[in-house]
Amino acid sequence: MRQAKIERITRETEVRLTLDLDGPTGGKIASGLPFLDHMLEQLVRHGRFRLDLDARGDLEVDVHHLVEDVGIALGMALERALGDRVGLERYASAFAPMDETLVHVVLDFSGRPYLAFAPESLDVVGEAGGVNVYHLREFLRGLVNHAGLTLHLRVLAGREAHHVIEAAFKALARALFAATRVTRDDLPSSKGVL
């Protein structure tokens, strides 16, 4: 069973989540930040997995801590749910458009965390529900560092934060689905370890 249960409690946040990579699509998501909930619902729907999340954070300070810690907890859950990674497809790539926006995500469950996403090089404006592209970067950084994931995210077109962030979550979801499929009998590495 490719499942994991994570509880991450700090002085800034409380995150409890259950992930099932092969379960029925859906789940209950409640973070106290409606836009983050909406993005996680996109991740679940297009990633075709189950996620139950109950999270709280010091939103009176900023959304940063909550968004980052949800990324960390999800990364921890992916790492645990994937186990020894035998049979894993490992690599995937996905594009997602949203109106004027186009995002490309390429990832590798290599065991080596790396994020290639530099929002400061983009001309993205605004925020959505208090979330901007810098928060997206912190979510992704938490995710890759704790999932052992190499992830490249490119914004090929788009300026409006809501569309860029949503297209990013949808492209990430599609790539996660493809990369986490079991498609072989061996470990997808010539090194013999991931």
Side-chain angles (χ1 to χ4, degrees):
M1 301 295 277
R2 301 188 316 150
Q3 301 172 341
K5 187 172 186 176
I6 300 294
E7 186 174 279
R8 177 178 167 79
I9 299 174
T10 73
R11 284 189 265 177
E12 300 166 339
T13 64
E14 291 184 22
V15 181
R16 293 174 180 83
L17 70 79
T18 303
L19 173 69
D20 185 345
L21 291 173
D22 303 311
T25 299
K28 295 178 184 174
I29 296 171
S31 72
L33 184 57
F35 185 73
L36 179 60
D37 292 352
H38 179 51
M39 292 304 96
L40 293 171
E41 289 163 359
Q42 299 302 318
L43 197 64
V44 166
R45 176 167 301 279
H46 299 287
R48 298 184 234 171
F49 56 84
R50 180 173 184 86
L51 177 66
D52 291 293
L53 172 82
D54 182 35
R56 297 291 171 264
D58 55 356
L59 295 177
E60 69 281 1
V61 174
D62 189 34
V63 303
H64 177 104
H65 298 144
L66 180 65
V67 173
E68 179 183 30
D69 282 9
V70 168
I72 289 170
L74 184 57
M76 293 167 68
L78 277 165
E79 170 68 19
R80 193 170 296 166
L82 290 172
D84 62 11
R85 302 186 185 196
V86 170
L88 192 67
E89 180 61 25
R90 180 179 166 177
Y91 299 97
S93 171
F95 289 91
M98 186 169 184
D99 299 338
E100 80 292 346
T101 299
L102 179 61
V103 173
H104 186 214
V105 168
V106 182
L107 57 79
D108 173 13
F109 277 100
S110 61
R112 296 182 307 277
Y114 184 80
L115 174 63
F117 174 56
E120 57 276 359
S121 68
L122 305 173
D123 193 22
V124 177
V125 296
E127 61 180 38
V131 178
N132 61 39
V133 292
Y134 296 97
H135 298 122
L136 171 63
R137 178 184 61 196
E138 295 311 301
F139 173 87
L140 295 172
R141 186 176 290 165
L143 179 76
V144 303
N145 285 340
H146 291 84
L149 177 63
T150 295
L151 190 151
H152 290 252
L153 187 151
R154 295 183 301 155
V155 178
L156 303 174
R159 290 197 68 223
E160 197 274 319
H162 186 136
H163 289 176
V164 169
I165 295 166
E166 187 160 344
F169 268 88
K170 288 176 177 177
L172 174 62
R174 293 176 56 81
L176 283 174
F177 175 77
T180 58
R181 296 308 91 200
V182 175
T183 59
R184 54 197 302 153
D185 296 326
D186 60 348
L187 189 71
S189 172
S190 59
K191 297 176 187 176
V193 65
L194 283 175

